[in-house]
Amino acid sequence: MESKIRTLSEEYSGIIITAPRQVGKTTVLKQLMDKDREYVTLDDMEERHLAKTDPAMFLQMHSLPIMIDEVQYAPELFSYIKIAVDNGAAPGSFWLTGSHTFKLMELAQESLASRIAILNMHALSQHEIYGKGEAAPFTVDIDALKARKDRIEPTDMKGIYERIWKGSMPGLVSGRYKDRDVFYSSYLQTYIQRDVREQAAITDTMLFSDFIRSAAARVGQILNTHDIAQDVGVSDDTAKRWLLIMERSGVIFYLKPYSNNLLKRTIRTPKLYFFDTGLVVYLTRYSSPEILASGAISGAILENYAVSEILKTYHDNARECLMWHYRDKESNEIDIVLENDGSLHPLEIKRSVNPGSELIGTFNLLDKASVSRGKGAILCMRPELTAINTDNYVIPIWMI
């Protein structure tokens, strides 16, 4: 995202980077800072108190350009930043970061709509960890796919599950933290104690930990809030509220169902995914990539990995990702429906090395949609890019 941050800082008076904890937003911005930019974190309780009680004085005390870390702790600042922007603050005057994605989006839309650029950052993408060169949004375009082949290190099924098991948190990928279990245990404790407690009056943190674990066991599945609630003994309303907290803090996301007026028999329920597969594996207690690859969630976690990696390729380029799943009342399914340039591209995710052509049988269901159907693909463990026919490709998951 570095080049995008630089470009937007020359166009907008401010940018906001929203991201979960520990994914590197502060590190990236500090790396891009020049010596003239002041850095303030609202994790500092004295700075936070001043920002909340006297935001005008806070901004007088600090010079522009400025980076304000964890700005969600002082929403009172936003109206004053708006005044500064409206009064002609220079491009790049405000760099703002925060861990509560939805909260920051709401604050920005209320006070700074069209005045400030908003970027969503996630844990590292497959391309960032194992690739090189520019990373483009994933598309089912043959020339773009050929270009991707030389930008990411290829691997086999064993390697893919090692990537899934390891996860994508910078602290682990960089080798700074050696003990994966201790890292994720500490991450969850910090997340619950700081982010969750701030958003909801949760007194039983162990119960919430069990709730996250129950959700992790259902990645890649149609969301069933009642089942998750029953697992831990909370009400459906509580489960809905806790899932919303997880979504707002950037831990989970949903793939909504594709539907339009011409596809009347589709279901309306989303599918549940985590942004970081390493966290899912930790929560579901798989002790090695080999055990994970043969475990009960091996197919679901592979789907989670592929979906989250596609999403990252768009968000890392500050692009909206138009992506859905398809399922109708006859249980016909398409794992991903990706829209690009006015066409729908059906994608199936399979653990197989040699997927059969029968897997594209449901793709023609999209012919009834109001948007034209484009090229389709099977994302799988095949080592090389190939094709089933002129309209459907076989794409290795390592190429996403």
Side-chain angles (χ1 to χ4, degrees):
M1 298 184 78
E2 291 180 7
S3 60
K4 186 62 65 174
I5 292 168
R6 289 192 187 98
T7 300
L8 294 173
S9 291
E10 295 173 358
E11 300 172 5
Y12 290 84
S13 296
I15 60 172
I16 293 179
I17 294 185
T18 69
R21 294 190 180 278
Q22 297 289 321
V23 303
K25 57 188 181 297
T26 303
T27 303
V28 168
L29 289 181
K30 280 188 170 181
Q31 182 171 299
L32 295 176
M33 281 173 55
D34 56 39
K35 64 180 186 300
D36 296 326
R37 185 177 297 275
E38 190 171 353
Y39 171 77
V40 184
T41 176
L42 298 190
D43 277 330
D44 183 319
M45 296 306 294
E46 290 187 9
E47 294 285 5
R48 187 189 302 186
H49 178 73
L50 180 60
K52 288 182 69 65
T53 58
D54 196 343
M57 178 58 69
F58 175 89
L59 291 177
Q60 288 178 27
M61 293 291 295
H62 299 292
S63 304
L64 300 182
I66 188 172
M67 174 182 167
I68 306 175
D69 213 356
E70 303 297 351
V71 71
Q72 79 275 359
Y73 289 132
E76 296 83 1
L77 282 173
F78 279 77
S79 59
Y80 288 86
I81 293 173
K82 174 182 180 294
I83 292 170
V85 172
D86 289 346
N87 287 338
S93 292
F94 296 96
W95 284 1
L96 312 173
T97 78
S99 303
H100 299 174
T101 302
F102 278 35
K103 184 174 180 179
L104 273 178
M105 295 283 280
E106 289 167 0
L107 289 168
Q109 289 165 1
E110 287 172 8
S111 304
L112 297 166
S114 76
R115 295 173 174 85
I116 200 163
I118 301 173
L119 299 175
N120 299 310
M121 183 183 288
H122 307 295
L124 295 171
S125 69
Q126 180 174 236
H127 182 275
E128 288 174 306
I129 302 171
Y130 306 104
K132 61 185 179 181
E134 289 295 318
F138 177 84
T139 62
V140 191
D141 174 81
I142 191 62
D143 292 330
L145 290 169
K146 287 179 180 178
R148 298 184 87 85
K149 288 200 303 182
D150 300 322
R151 293 178 184 162
I152 304 179
E153 179 184 331
T155 191
D156 55 12
M157 184 183 296
K158 180 174 181 290
I160 287 292
Y161 277 98
E162 285 175 352
R163 294 179 182 186
I164 291 170
W165 187 88
K166 186 175 183 179
S168 52
M169 299 299 279
L172 289 173
V173 171
S174 67
R176 179 182 178 185
Y177 302 107
K178 307 296 184 185
D179 192 315
R180 176 180 160 280
D181 289 349
V182 170
F183 173 86
Y184 278 117
S185 175
S186 302
Y187 175 85
L188 282 171
Q189 289 180 49
T190 302
Y191 168 63
I192 294 171
Q193 294 293 337
R194 298 182 67 176
D195 293 349
V196 173
R197 278 192 165 179
E198 184 173 310
Q199 296 182 62
I202 295 175
T203 55
D204 191 341
T205 57
M206 290 299 295
L207 187 63
F208 192 87
S209 294
D210 291 341
F211 182 82
I212 298 175
R213 182 168 285 107
S214 178
R218 290 172 168 79
V219 294
Q221 296 182 23
I222 298 293
L223 178 65
N224 189 323
T225 307
H226 178 71
D227 281 358
I228 300 174
Q230 290 248 302
D231 269 1
V232 294
V234 298
S235 69
D236 287 7
D237 286 344
T238 297
K240 289 175 185 176
R241 189 169 70 253
W242 287 2
L243 285 168
L244 182 61
I245 290 171
M246 292 170 64
E247 183 186 12
R248 287 184 166 179
S249 50
V251 172
I252 64 170
F253 67 98
Y254 298 112
L255 206 56
K256 295 181 179 179
Y258 181 80
S259 180
N260 61 38
N261 292 334
L262 299 178
L263 297 169
K264 297 181 184 297
R265 297 188 61 77
T266 53
I267 66 166
R268 308 293 182 181
T269 312
K271 295 176 80 171
L272 171 68
Y273 299 95
F274 277 59
F275 279 110
D276 177 42
T277 56
L279 178 58
V280 175
V281 174
Y282 169 77
L283 288 166
T284 50
R285 299 188 173 106
Y286 284 92
S287 59
S288 72
E290 294 76 20
I291 294 174
L292 174 66
S294 58
I297 69 165
S298 61
I301 195 73
L302 181 67
E303 179 179 329
N304 192 137
Y305 183 71
V307 172
S308 63
E309 287 300 322
I310 290 173
L311 185 64
K312 290 175 189 176
T313 68
Y314 282 81
H315 286 182
D316 286 353
N317 284 275
R319 294 268 302 276
E320 182 183 8
C321 184
L322 301 177
M323 183 165 60
W324 304 271
H325 79 90
Y326 176 94
R327 184 171 180 174
D328 60 29
K329 294 178 181 177
E330 284 75 40
S331 297
N332 297 307
E333 293 186 72
I334 301 172
D335 290 334
I336 298 174
V337 178
L338 185 66
E339 183 173 348
N340 279 127
D341 297 325
S343 294
L344 299 177
H345 301 277
L347 307 175
E348 275 293 309
I349 304 164
K350 293 298 174 187
R351 194 170 174 273
S352 171
V353 175
N354 295 299
S357 59
E358 73 278 359
L359 295 174
I360 65 173
T362 55
F363 289 2
N364 59 12
L365 294 169
L366 296 181
D367 292 341
K368 300 175 183 178
S370 55
V371 181
S372 63
R373 176 160 69 102
K375 305 289 186 182
I378 299 173
L379 307 178
C380 65
M381 298 299 190
R382 190 75 173 254
E384 295 289 340
L385 174 68
T386 184
I388 293 174
N389 53 41
T390 56
D391 293 321
N392 296 283
Y393 307 132
V394 178
I395 303 172
I397 287 174
W398 63 258
M399 280 180 54
I400 297 174

